[in-house]
Amino acid sequence: MRKIVVLVFCLANLFTAFGQKRSFGEVVPDDFEKKNFFYLKLVDSLELPNSIDLSKKMPPAADQNPRGTCWAFASTYSIISYMSNVSKADDYFYQNGKPDYSKIKSPELPIQLYFGSNANCDAGATTKDLLLKTLVEYGSISMEELKYSALCSQSISDELKNKAKLNSTSEYDVEVVHKDDMITLKKVLSQGQPLIISIRVDTNFKKIKDNVVDYYKPMWDTYKIGKGWHAMTVVGYNDSIKAVKVMNSWGEKWGNKGHLWISYDIIKNYARYYCYPVVRPKITIDTLEIVAENSKAFTFEEKTELSSWFKSGYYRKFNTLKIKLLYLNYKKEDDEYGLIEISDEEDTVLSKFYIQNNSSKEFYINNVKYSFTFNNVGRIGYNFTKKAMFFTMKEL
């Protein structure tokens, strides 16, 4: 089981700012700092701009209320809503000066799907993991169709879940940027992409006042006593004041219309990571790698069961179906998952799903019920850097 250093529940971190309750909700694994971060090769600029501000292209700052759901607001409400602003136009999420909730993505969907029921929606989560699951598995749906409930008491119909899933895609992945990598952070923002920041906030952060009208205030630039992990959306930076601009999820009355400037020194010392969505390179399926049906890698019981290995970018045949492994995450032992796509012989996609290691999923294709089990992850030959999935698929 994954060990957690900080599991922040909303009720354990309530505090009052002008009589209003505020909450956190970010969860940080205890081995996070041990990871080897990949420094991204983005489009190079001879000279990065002095400042970037994407806040006008974002939805209005919402209020998570007294629940530990900052991760859902930073990922779905902010980042995935922003991705729907294809033209990247200012005030895209407004109509006649008011929020247009038909264009803003609901954080309620990932909250309830992530925990499996509404009973645990007050618990925290790791935002980078939630962002990936929302992109490739959950999909998204508008606030107009599914409002956010601070009590997390509403149920979500299968119709809405299926409609949201149509917006999921295997084309995206989530990249993590190390907290010290300011160059990459600026490059991502300068190319028009906001990021999520995971940071440990303190008592000074909690003292930020509401309705601050000075553009560069509030400025969080001194740190006292840490109070909990929090996820917010980075929407800009400014080298003149040496700070990044973030959008919080405590409503528009907090800070400057829900925004805050954080000094470079604070984020270098107290942030844990940044993350943002990227387009995954397209995978070309190499048909020469298909294992023949008479191979020992296959085990059949009247062709109703198949157990085999495969690696990312390859597939196995099961009667008239192609079982494709689009993506395999194996960097963390207790968070291994795969993205599976099943198609017919003409490559028409029939089913696509995300599955964790040591779990099973049942589904129908052409009125036939199947089960897919992710059994194990193993290395390929003597190359320890290449991993493969061992799976079992059955016709039930």
Side-chain angles (χ1 to χ4, degrees), residues 42-174:
L42 301 173
V43 176
D44 291 324
S45 301
L46 293 177
E47 185 177 355
L48 288 169
N50 179 264
S51 64
I52 290 290
D53 190 344
L54 304 175
S55 58
K56 289 185 178 180
K57 305 179 190 300
M58 302 291 296
D63 194 344
Q64 69 187 76
N65 287 312
R67 297 297 180 192
T69 54
C70 60
W71 44 277
F73 279 89
S75 60
T76 304
Y77 180 93
S78 298
I79 295 291
I80 294 181
S81 291
Y82 176 84
M83 292 169 66
S84 69
N85 183 2
V86 179
S87 64
K88 299 300 179 280
D90 290 355
D91 299 322
Y92 171 82
F93 296 102
Y94 293 83
Q95 187 173 19
N96 299 324
K98 296 182 179 180
D100 184 352
Y101 291 110
S102 67
K103 297 178 179 178
I104 301 173
K105 302 304 182 181
S106 174
E108 186 76 16
L109 182 81
I111 290 169
Q112 298 204 29
L113 292 183
Y114 187 79
F115 290 111
S117 70
N118 58 26
N120 297 316
C121 70
D122 193 38
T126 304
T127 310
K128 65 181 182 65
D129 298 336
L130 188 280
L131 178 60
L132 180 62
K133 285 189 175 183
T134 302
L135 287 167
V136 304
E137 181 183 8
Y138 303 155
S140 57
I141 201 158
S142 74
M143 290 273 287
E144 186 176 72
E145 295 172 285
L146 182 62
K147 295 180 180 179
Y148 172 68
S149 169
L151 300 177
C152 300
S153 58
Q154 62 179 314
S155 60
I156 303 176
S157 68
D158 289 339
E159 181 181 2
L160 282 183
K161 291 178 184 178
N162 292 334
K163 186 175 181 179
K165 196 172 182 65
L166 295 176
N167 294 320
S168 65
T169 174
S170 62
E171 294 180 359
Y172 285 99
D173 203 345
V174 172

Side-chain angles (χ1 to χ4, degrees), residues 287-301 303 305-310 315-318 390-391:
T287 56
L288 297 178
E289 291 292 330
I290 303 174
V291 178
E293 289 191 3
N294 60 358
S295 168
K296 293 181 180 179
F298 280 78
T299 58
F300 283 101
E301 294 179 6
K303 294 192 175 182
E305 181 175 337
L306 163 66
S307 296
S308 182
W309 292 94
F310 60 177
Y315 71 89
R316 295 289 182 253
K317 287 193 68 178
F318 181 49
F390 187 75
F391 71 94

Side-chain angles (χ1 to χ4, degrees), residues 4-10 13 23-29 32 64 68-72 74 123-130 196-200 228-232 272-273 275:
I4 304 296
V5 166
V6 183
L7 179 56
V8 186
F9 291 90
C10 219
N13 289 286
S23 307
F24 309 138
E26 174 74 354
V27 170
V28 179
F32 200 92
Q64 69 187 76
T69 54
C70 60
W71 44 277
T126 304
T127 310
K128 65 181 182 65
D129 298 336
L130 188 280
I196 294 171
I197 182 174
S198 170
I199 189 167
R200 187 176 180 86
W229 291 98
H230 193 42
M232 296 178 285
R272 185 53 65 96
Y273 66 88
C275 67

Side-chain angles (χ1 to χ4, degrees), residues 90-369:
D90 290 355
D91 299 322
Y92 171 82
F93 296 102
Y94 293 83
Q95 187 173 19
N96 299 324
K98 296 182 179 180
D100 184 352
Y101 291 110
S102 67
K103 297 178 179 178
I104 301 173
K105 302 304 182 181
S106 174
E108 186 76 16
L109 182 81
I111 290 169
Q112 298 204 29
L113 292 183
Y114 187 79
F115 290 111
S117 70
N118 58 26
N120 297 316
C121 70
D122 193 38
T126 304
T127 310
K128 65 181 182 65
D129 298 336
L130 188 280
L131 178 60
L132 180 62
K133 285 189 175 183
T134 302
L135 287 167
V136 304
E137 181 183 8
Y138 303 155
S140 57
I141 201 158
S142 74
M143 290 273 287
E144 186 176 72
E145 295 172 285
L146 182 62
K147 295 180 180 179
Y148 172 68
S149 169
L151 300 177
C152 300
S153 58
Q154 62 179 314
S155 60
I156 303 176
S157 68
D158 289 339
E159 181 181 2
L160 282 183
K161 291 178 184 178
N162 292 334
K163 186 175 181 179
K165 196 172 182 65
L166 295 176
N167 294 320
S168 65
T169 174
S170 62
E171 294 180 359
Y172 285 99
D173 203 345
V174 172
E175 291 290 1
V176 175
V177 182
H178 192 275
K179 65 178 183 179
D180 295 329
D181 189 4
M182 291 297 295
I183 298 300
T184 296
L185 173 68
K186 292 178 181 180
K187 282 184 178 182
V188 173
L189 288 165
S190 67
Q191 293 176 50
Q193 176 61 58
L195 306 91
I196 294 171
I197 182 174
S198 170
I199 189 167
R200 187 176 180 86
V201 299
D202 73 335
T203 50
N204 283 340
F205 179 90
K206 291 167 57 176
K207 291 177 182 178
I208 299 297
K209 297 181 179 180
D210 290 355
N211 299 314
V212 178
V213 296
D214 186 338
Y215 182 72
Y216 292 116
K217 298 291 182 179
M219 170 70 79
W220 181 26
D221 55 3
T222 58
Y223 199 95
K224 287 190 177 180
I225 302 172
K227 286 295 180 181
W229 291 98
H230 193 42
M232 296 178 285
T233 310
V234 182
V235 297
Y237 70 88
N238 189 308
D239 286 336
S240 297
I241 62 172
K242 293 182 171 53
V244 297
K245 186 177 185 180
V246 301
M247 183 173 78
N248 200 3
S249 51
W250 291 353
E252 288 193 287
K253 291 183 179 180
W254 181 88
N256 187 317
K257 294 185 178 179
H259 294 79
L260 166 77
W261 287 96
I262 308 177
S263 71
Y264 290 165
D265 287 339
I266 290 287
I267 61 174
K268 286 180 180 179
N269 287 296
Y270 301 103
R272 185 53 65 96
Y273 66 88
Y274 307 96
C275 67
Y276 69 102
V278 295
V279 177
R280 182 181 292 131
K282 291 195 178 293
I283 297 171
T284 301
I285 302 297
D286 186 351
T287 56
L288 297 178
E289 291 292 330
I290 303 174
V291 178
E293 289 191 3
N294 60 358
S295 168
K296 293 181 180 179
F298 280 78
T299 58
F300 283 101
E301 294 179 6
E302 298 179 350
K303 294 192 175 182
T304 60
E305 181 175 337
L306 163 66
S307 296
S308 182
W309 292 94
F310 60 177
K311 60 182 179 179
S312 295
Y314 294 83
Y315 71 89
R316 295 289 182 253
K317 287 193 68 178
F318 181 49
N319 297 331
T320 61
L321 301 176
K322 292 180 179 179
I323 309 169
K324 304 177 183 180
L325 177 57
L326 298 183
Y327 178 74
L328 175 63
N329 180 70
Y330 54 82
K331 295 178 182 178
K332 186 173 180 182
E333 185 175 347
D334 57 0
D335 191 27
E336 295 168 334
Y337 58 84
L339 182 61
I340 305 297
E341 182 179 272
I342 299 177
S343 62
D344 59 19
E345 293 179 307
E346 283 73 41
D347 286 320
T348 300
V349 177
L350 305 174
S351 181
K352 182 171 64 177
F353 53 86
Y354 161 104
I355 187 168
Q356 297 274 162
N357 194 2
N358 298 312
S359 67
S360 298
K361 187 176 291 288
E362 294 183 353
F363 53 93
Y364 287 87
I365 294 178
N366 297 328
N367 296 321
V368 178
K369 189 175 183 180

